[in-house]
Amino acid sequence: MIGERVWLDIEQLNSVDDSGMFGQIADGLKESSIVLMCVSREYTNSQNCQMEANFALRSLHKKAIVLEVGSGLPGDRNDWMRSSVGMVLPPGEKPYVFTADVADSSEKYFETIQKICDRLKETVLLEPIESGTKVSSEEESSSNSLRASVPMVGDAVVAHYAAWQFFPAKVASFDKGSMKYTVDWDDPDPSCRVQPYHLVAVNITATDDLIGIGSSILFKQGVYRFGDSTGDVWNLGEITDIVEEDGVKYYSGKHSKTAADGLAVAAWPSYRPTFERSRSHDLRLFPNAIEMLQAYKNL
């Protein structure tokens, strides 16, 4: 609406490193009264956009207006609706459609803009959001599951080692400036202990409400041996399909890396380019960087 103050990351961000950027995004979301989300398949394919949406809606419980943009093709809509972003959208909140196949005239353009302005007026001006708003038990559980995915010092994790192989370890320390963890491997190997935040996952069962199409996860494939130690090799993957049978969700996906990326397990006899029908207890999730910085901020 004319005269309303808005926060847009590409205009307000003044830091190029992850630590500063995510901190500024967190502050912008915290100070907002409502979030206007322009969602598309491309949006939900972005890890940063997924983090923003989950932090705003799961952790901060912000009200949101959803504007669907992009191609409008049924396949694209199905993909983003089944992503972790689509799963966290407010129940019953019907997106305003502003896709290429709909917004094909100035009349339709201004009609949609007017609808959004009317909705903003109803939500922000007529229904002011008070601080300390109570959240439902479902929302609280969702927020807790997001925070639980943040590796803290002493936590058991699955961390990247080298050549896109991930192994069990414990967090020894975290550097907020570089956003890197130092880990102690479960086996006695002293090498490759410092790893970036986006390649370290808490070693706990992933919750179904955080896994959607396109989610970046770790899955088991292969077995390693180091001296007297042996165990599963975890691999970086992407969810490509979810089916639900008798209330149980099964996840299928593919390796995010290939031999061309230096993927070591691609040369192993046990290698398969995909994984099928994994349960959530066979998957691990990486931390939300925005949530992670908030968790360490008060330490």
Side-chain angles (χ1 to χ4, degrees):
M1 292 177 290
I2 295 176
E4 287 297 315
R5 188 164 58 91
V6 298
W7 190 94
L8 186 62
D9 55 5
I10 59 174
E11 294 180 355
Q12 267 75 31
L13 294 179
N14 55 27
S15 177
V16 294
D17 63 275
D18 283 354
S19 177
M21 179 181 71
F22 291 132
Q24 291 174 58
I25 290 174
D27 290 340
L29 290 172
K30 286 179 178 179
E31 294 175 7
S32 67
S33 298
I34 191 168
V35 178
L36 176 60
M37 300 173 57
C38 298
V39 182
S40 65
R41 182 179 185 178
E42 292 75 17
Y43 178 93
T44 57
N45 283 342
S46 164
Q47 293 298 316
N48 285 354
C49 291
Q50 288 183 37
M51 287 191 287
E52 289 180 11
N54 277 284
F55 182 70
L57 302 185
R58 292 183 191 271
S59 297
L60 301 179
H61 313 293
K62 293 292 183 179
K63 291 187 177 181
I65 293 177
V66 183
L67 179 63
E68 181 184 4
V69 296
S71 70
L73 295 175
D76 287 359
R77 177 172 294 146
N78 181 64
D79 282 351
W80 78 255
M81 287 293 290
R82 297 176 68 200
S83 72
S84 64
V85 174
M87 293 165 60
V88 78
L89 294 182
E93 183 72 37
K94 189 175 181 180
Y96 293 94
V97 179
F98 205 52
T99 52
D101 59 325
V102 172
D104 55 358
S105 69
S106 59
E107 181 181 349
K108 291 181 179 179
Y109 173 86
F110 287 109
E111 180 182 341
T112 303
I113 294 298
Q114 186 59 55
K115 289 180 179 178
I116 294 173
C117 288
D118 292 342
R119 177 64 177 144
L120 283 169
K121 182 178 179 181
E122 293 172 2
T123 306
V124 179
L125 299 182
L126 302 184
E127 301 176 13
I129 301 175
E130 300 178 359
S131 60
T133 301
K134 292 182 179 180
V135 297
S136 67
S137 57
E138 291 81 5
E139 289 176 322
E140 191 64 38
S141 175
S142 178
S143 176
N144 289 339
S145 63
L146 190 63
R147 176 57 64 88
S149 69
V150 176
M152 305 297 285
V153 173
D155 281 353
V157 295
V158 178
H160 178 252
Y161 174 73
W164 303 110
Q165 301 171 93
F166 293 75
F167 301 109
K170 280 191 176 180
V171 175
S173 63
F174 175 71
D175 183 83
K176 288 186 282 188
S178 65
M179 295 183 70
K180 289 183 178 181
Y181 285 96
T182 298
V183 301
D184 293 324
W185 303 111
D186 285 4
D187 61 41
D189 191 339
S191 59
C192 303
R193 295 177 57 228
V194 179
Q195 297 293 337
Y197 75 92
H198 61 279
L199 296 180
V200 179
V202 178
N203 196 3
I204 58 174
T205 295
T207 55
D208 287 321
D209 67 319
L210 293 179
I211 310 173
I213 299 296
S215 290
S216 180
I217 49 84
L218 289 175
F219 68 98
K220 297 177 184 178
Q221 190 179 96
V223 176
Y224 78 91
R225 182 177 297 278
F226 183 86
D228 295 330
S229 302
T230 185
D232 295 308
V233 175
W234 292 82
N235 301 267
L236 183 63
E238 176 186 335
I239 301 296
T240 58
D241 189 41
I242 304 172
V243 296
E244 186 168 347
E245 299 174 3
D246 299 323
V248 178
K249 289 186 177 181
Y250 297 90
Y251 302 93
S252 299
K254 62 181 181 180
H255 277 271
S256 296
K257 302 298 179 181
T258 66
D261 300 306
L263 178 65
V265 299
W268 295 11
S270 60
Y271 171 76
R272 300 187 310 279
T274 61
F275 61 94
E276 293 79 29
R277 294 180 65 82
S278 292
R279 298 277 297 277
S280 58
H281 59 72
D282 296 318
L283 306 175
R284 298 294 182 265
L285 281 172
F286 294 105
N288 182 312
I290 305 175
E291 186 74 41
M292 180 181 62
L293 286 174
Q294 300 306 300
Y296 277 96
K297 188 176 183 178
N298 297 323
L299 294 182

